[in-house]
Amino acid sequence: MTVTVRFAPSPTGRIHIGNARTALFNWLFALNNKGRFIQRFDDTDIARSKQEFADAILYDLHWLGIFPDVTDYQSRRFEVYDAAVERLKAAGVLYACYETPEELDLRRKVRRTRGLPPVYGREALALTTEQVAEYQADGRRPHWRFLLPNFSSDPRQPERTEIHWDDLVRGEETVDLASLSDPVLVREDGTYLYTLPSVVDDIEMGVSHVIRGDDHVTNTGVQIALFKALGAEPPVFGHHNLLTTVSGEGLSKRTGALSIESLREDGIEPMAVASLAVLVGTSENVAAAHDLTQLAGHFDPAATSKSSSKFDPAELFVLNRVLLQRMPFDEARDRLMVLGISGEHAEPFWLAVRGNIDRLADAVAWWRVLREGPQEKPEFSDDDRDFLHQALDLLPEEPWNGTVWKDWTGKIREATGRKGKALFMPLRLALTGLPSGPELADLLPLMGREGTMARRP
Ligand code: GLU
């Protein structure tokens, strides 16, 4: 059977690094197993879901290097869910309930004071035809609950019923169905909660592996029961730990915290995001992978920690610098061109500056320094100014070869007696206006003799 995974966000905001972790776990799992990746939008909540968010999520996935084999929307599949509802009703495992939220709340409190678990007591199963008629006459509409298979003959007497699965990430997992309320699958207004459409789609789309955040572990007990009630074999499940901010707060699509969009706008490379999103909170070292195929080689769902992991954006910059430092010109060329960096100097320029930038766009500032000279005129002492005049008088005539910097500074050292910082710092300041940066040996040939002379203070 072909491995089939899916990433199923609700399009109610931009995805954040934690969502990207889920998407990437699925994508890498598919890569490692020659599988298919389905992009499914869980947009049954019509009021909160927006097409623009779905489009933006696809954009973010593409940016990360994820290209779904199939994209589908739950809002286009209501007929399929309606048919499943009819099957469940016919099988007697979907029943109508008429309680208001206030009534349910009161019942829960009563159960608690009696020392019973605060789950739904299935009172609706005992409703008489007259009571139902009365509710309906009052204008109440039913919501529908799935009868969990946690009893032998009397549903009002649930018994411990363990559901087991071998979790791809967490290993052996158990949920006791008697500890759960029968889940509501359909609301009073006929709209669907997440559970039923998700299971129906996983069946119909042939999903073989459900990989998602561990906030869904309890749902899995219910969903396995629902797969079986619909006559299907449940898929394999894997629940990865969640990411939090450095201060330990959960991430939310609604707040936009650590959204993929904001990281992109901050100039973080997609592979820095992907490497950290996948490797943080695993037993693997966090290192920048060059591409997703390479990252897949380091991906093992079972190596993921069971407790939540803190996500520190500062680590992204560390990875970003490494990626830029290693980036060959061929990979940078088009992006540099868009930034106005092109021509015969573009390649040596890139090789000179790539080890000194936090983001690719920072190259622009160096390009400007090379073309226009220091952006702020450096101040020099009289001594340093004299030294620089003397130094520039010694600048070799062109054509220059690869050792021009070495030859020039050798001559300066000999003539002035200066060495080390006293020699290099005034030169660096005069040539670039900045106290640190790329190797001057690499920058000098890009300035040329004329450009260098023009920097005479
Ligand atoms: N829409 C659900 C979520 O975003 C999907 C969970 C699942 O993967 O089953 O949490």
Side-chain angles (χ1 to χ4, degrees):
M1 190 174 77
T2 316
V3 163
T4 303
V5 296
R6 85 298 193 274
F7 174 51
S10 30
T12 52
R14 302 297 297 242
I15 51 169
H16 52 61
I17 189 89
N19 306 125
R21 179 172 177 83
T22 310
L24 285 159
F25 267 48
N26 279 287
W27 179 254
L28 298 181
F29 189 80
L31 267 187
N32 283 344
N33 292 283
K34 302 195 173 28
R36 296 163 68 231
F37 179 102
I38 297 173
Q39 176 53 41
R40 188 183 84 203
F41 287 107
D42 285 2
D43 58 349
T44 52
D45 182 346
I46 308 276
R48 285 179 48 226
S49 300
K50 300 225 159 25
Q51 184 64 43
E52 68 195 70
F53 288 131
D55 294 343
I57 289 171
L58 283 174
Y59 185 89
D60 289 343
L61 293 179
H62 293 169
W63 181 74
L64 285 167
I66 295 176
F67 295 91
D69 296 291
V70 177
T71 299
D72 212 338
Y73 297 80
Q74 290 195 324
S75 58
R76 299 177 189 171
R77 298 172 46 78
F78 285 122
E79 282 151 39
V80 186
Y81 313 138
D82 294 347
V85 160
E86 291 315 314
R87 280 170 60 203
L88 293 172
K89 281 185 190 167
V93 291
L94 195 66
Y95 61 98
C97 302
Y98 290 87
E99 294 92 345
T100 62
E102 295 73 29
E103 286 165 355
L104 288 172
D105 202 37
L106 190 64
R107 285 231 195 98
R108 267 193 297 270
K109 281 185 186 137
V110 172
R111 286 182 75 96
R112 265 203 205 97
T113 51
R114 290 197 193 140
L116 295 169
V119 295
Y120 180 60
R122 291 176 168 158
E123 288 80 359
L125 289 176
L127 288 177
T128 61
T129 327
E130 291 76 37
Q131 283 170 313
V132 171
E134 226 171 277
Y135 280 139
Q136 285 176 343
D138 278 356
R140 284 203 198 187
R141 297 181 48 78
H143 53 274
W144 297 83
R145 287 188 192 260
F146 171 49
L147 185 65
L148 289 172
N150 58 7
F151 56 92
S152 30
S153 54
D154 179 3
R156 302 290 305 271
Q157 302 289 328
E159 293 162 13
R160 184 169 180 87
T161 308
E162 291 185 353
I163 295 269
H164 299 278
W165 73 94
D166 187 11
D167 197 282
L168 272 180
V169 177
R170 301 163 62 89
E172 201 49 49
E173 281 289 334
T174 303
V175 169
D176 173 16
L177 290 186
S179 69
L180 304 173
S181 294
D182 287 340
V184 176
L185 300 189
V186 189
R187 295 190 188 89
E188 284 80 1
D189 62 2
T191 58
Y192 288 103
L193 282 104
Y194 144 79
T195 310
L196 178 80
S198 177
V199 169
V200 169
D201 283 349
D202 288 343
I203 296 170
E204 297 240 338
M205 296 174 178
V207 170
S208 63
H209 293 74
V210 169
I211 303 173
R212 58 188 175 188
D214 62 16
D215 48 337
H216 286 288
V217 169
T218 330
N219 291 340
T220 300
V222 167
Q223 290 182 359
I224 288 178
L226 194 51
F227 273 101
K228 291 186 175 158
L230 288 166
E233 195 54 46
V236 175
F237 288 90
H239 296 89
H240 64 73
N241 62 349
L242 299 185
L243 302 183
T244 68
T245 62
V246 179
S247 49
E249 289 142 42
L251 305 176
S252 155
K253 271 208 234 79
R254 260 166 281 174
T255 62
L258 291 175
S259 73
I260 300 304
E261 179 188 36
S262 67
L263 299 175
R264 178 170 55 240
E265 282 171 359
D266 275 352
I268 308 290
E269 296 294 309
M271 279 315 298
V273 175
S275 303
L276 192 54
V278 169
L279 299 175
V280 68
T282 72
S283 54
E284 282 280 333
N285 274 340
V286 175
H290 177 261
D291 51 44
L292 292 179
T293 309
Q294 197 186 83
L295 187 58
H298 295 275
F299 170 66
D300 172 12
T304 312
S305 147
K306 283 197 192 178
S307 46
S308 64
S309 300
K310 291 199 159 117
F311 185 88
D312 183 357
E315 284 189 56
L316 282 175
F317 279 100
V318 175
L319 299 177
N320 219 43
R321 277 192 289 272
V322 172
L323 286 166
L324 292 170
Q325 213 158 34
R326 288 193 206 135
M327 189 181 287
F329 177 65
D330 278 352
E331 275 175 35
R333 181 193 280 116
D334 291 352
R335 293 168 64 190
L336 293 172
M337 202 180 301
V338 171
L339 296 171
I341 299 171
S342 60
E344 53 164 340
H345 280 165
E347 180 164 9
F349 165 78
W350 173 247
L351 299 181
V353 302
R354 64 181 180 175
N356 278 275
I357 48 179
D358 289 332
R359 348 168 141 66
L360 186 127
D362 294 348
V364 173
W366 284 110
W367 186 248
R368 229 176 257 146
V369 166
L370 286 178
R371 316 213 84 179
E372 300 163 9
Q375 301 294 291
E376 264 178 64
K377 273 250 166 292
E379 298 281 330
F380 292 108
S381 65
D382 291 346
D383 245 16
D384 281 347
R385 192 172 306 104
D386 289 347
F387 162 76
L388 287 166
H389 289 172
Q390 226 182 324
L392 284 168
D393 289 343
L394 295 167
L395 187 63
E397 291 296 331
E398 283 172 331
W400 287 347
N401 59 23
T403 59
V404 59
W405 171 254
K406 207 165 152 259
D407 300 342
W408 183 35
T409 49
K411 279 195 210 152
I412 301 173
R413 192 176 297 119
E414 226 170 83
T416 64
R418 285 206 194 197
K419 53 182 194 259
K421 204 172 165 199
L423 183 144
F424 293 112
M425 191 51 80
L427 284 175
R428 180 173 282 287
L429 284 173
L431 298 184
T432 68
L434 295 164
S436 62
E439 293 290 338
L440 291 173
D442 298 329
L443 297 184
L444 187 70
L446 298 172
M447 295 178 202
R449 191 167 199 284
E450 198 186 322
T452 309
M453 290 312 273
R455 286 161 162 86
R456 186 184 167 94

